[in-house]
Amino acid sequence: MSGGDKLDFEIRRNPAPVSAADRAALLANPGFGRVFTDHMVTIRYAEGKGWYDARVEARAPIPMDPAAAVLHYAQEIFEGLKAYRTGDGAVTMFRPEANAARFIASAQRLAMPELPAETFVESLHRLVEIDRDWIPDGPDASLYLRPFMFASEVFLGVRPANEYLYCVIASPAGAYFAGGVKPVTVWVSPDYTRAAPGGTGAAKCGGNYAASLAAQAEAIEAGCDQVVFLDAVERRFVDELGGMNVFFVYDDNTLVTPPLTGTILPGITRDAILTLAAEAGHRVEERPISFADWQADAASGRLREVFACGTAAVITPIGRVKFPDGEFLVGGGEPGRSTMALRQQLVDIQRGRAEDRHGWVRQVL
């Protein structure tokens, strides 16, 4: 399939969907990533044939040969975004085209075929349409969408695979902060790094997350919620958290985030925050921040707020920072005014409660 071709999706409805009563019970407290909808999308790819056999079908296990290339050489990428119910009954998604573009960039880095952006977005629409009843009604609830692609060819050999499977699954999600937004405690890892220059840090691939798990376990052992990674070359500069980008807010109204140099995932929430912060009057900078400066500026009071951002939690304030030689607070350990204002503005745009001046919101239903 070339970038200009269009696939026709075959609809195969689940013959045994979850009953309305059972679905309602599951949606009462779905948590995150534990409950799944009735259907999924699958599209296949073969070298010389292109993309074919696009389906919306019953969610089911994926048959896999023990020699499937992904199990041995980790050719796998994914995305994450949400569908929301708005106050007027519509269903929307936030910037799916940006996820499509990042999916293409990840595929290029992992030597995988590019799924055309049009097909990527349509696959999301198709799944949301057929599983619309799974979208929770709560003010902070959503339907989390997980598109992913992996090498399905059966072979042992270090080369790009010739066959791939693209899928989309969906999972209803409740409020990320059930008791209100609370600052998290982070652990600055002294030993582990997330990505190195020339590596896969800018790609959204499973291997990056697998490599972060030992450091995350170290963070939890230290009584922290998340790990912060420093750069792999000098071990001085802040890169990102295990699954989120990070921002620093200073007393002169400057908002700073580490630059995208190939080791940091280009977050879609990150990009939106840069735009909204500038419109709110912040001086926005993308520049390196050393951990030493983080600590010194927090002590002097020059650094007022720090927050992390990503699809799942949107914006998460960081209150306490731990490291092997000690710990310190940022802004007294409480959520900052700028952090909460940006979070509320972004959430309101995503859910149709505020004007979408940038055309970020896409109506599905």
Side-chain angles (χ1 to χ4, degrees), residues 235-248:
R235 305 290 180 93
R236 291 177 54 209
F237 298 101
V238 177
D239 263 4
E240 63 174 270
L241 276 68
M244 294 182 278
N245 298 121
V246 62
F247 282 83
F248 301 82

Side-chain angles (χ1 to χ4, degrees), residues 165-234:
L165 181 64
Y166 168 80
C167 303
V168 189
I169 56 176
S171 175
Y176 193 88
F177 298 102
V181 180
K182 299 176 182 178
V184 297
T185 299
V186 297
W187 171 257
V188 179
S189 177
D191 302 314
Y192 296 102
T193 60
R194 177 183 173 275
T200 59
K204 197 167 179 66
C205 60
N208 289 344
Y209 293 81
S212 75
L213 296 180
Q216 179 64 25
E218 183 181 71
I220 292 172
E221 187 176 351
C224 300
D225 303 291
Q226 268 283 349
V227 62
V228 176
F229 290 104
L230 303 180
D231 75 286
V233 178
E234 298 185 55

Side-chain angles (χ1 to χ4, degrees), residues 63-94:
M64 184 175 293
D65 192 281
V70 65
L71 300 177
H72 304 271
Y73 309 111
Q75 267 191 299
E76 181 272 346
I77 58 174
F78 67 98
E79 275 297 324
L81 66 161
K82 294 177 178 179
Y84 308 91
R85 287 194 188 276
T86 64
D88 60 2
V91 175
T92 62
M93 292 187 293
F94 184 71

Side-chain angles (χ1 to χ4, degrees), residues 32 80-84 92-95 99 128 140-145 173-174 176 310-314 350-351:
F32 183 83
L81 66 161
K82 294 177 178 179
Y84 308 91
T92 62
M93 292 187 293
F94 184 71
R95 305 186 70 187
N99 290 94
V128 172
D140 295 315
S142 60
L143 183 66
Y144 182 80
L145 303 171
Y176 193 88
T311 297
V314 186
Q350 290 173 335
R351 297 179 179 277

Side-chain angles (χ1 to χ4, degrees), residues 15 58 69 93 134 207 256 258 265 273 276 352:
M93 292 187 293
W134 283 94
V256 181
L265 185 72
I273 290 169
L276 296 178

Side-chain angles (χ1 to χ4, degrees), residues 334-355:
E334 297 298 323
R337 183 173 60 183
S338 296
T339 298
M340 299 309 294
L342 285 168
R343 184 182 192 279
Q344 191 61 55
Q345 184 181 7
L346 188 53
V347 168
D348 285 346
I349 292 172
Q350 290 173 335
R351 297 179 179 277
R353 300 194 294 251
E355 182 184 1

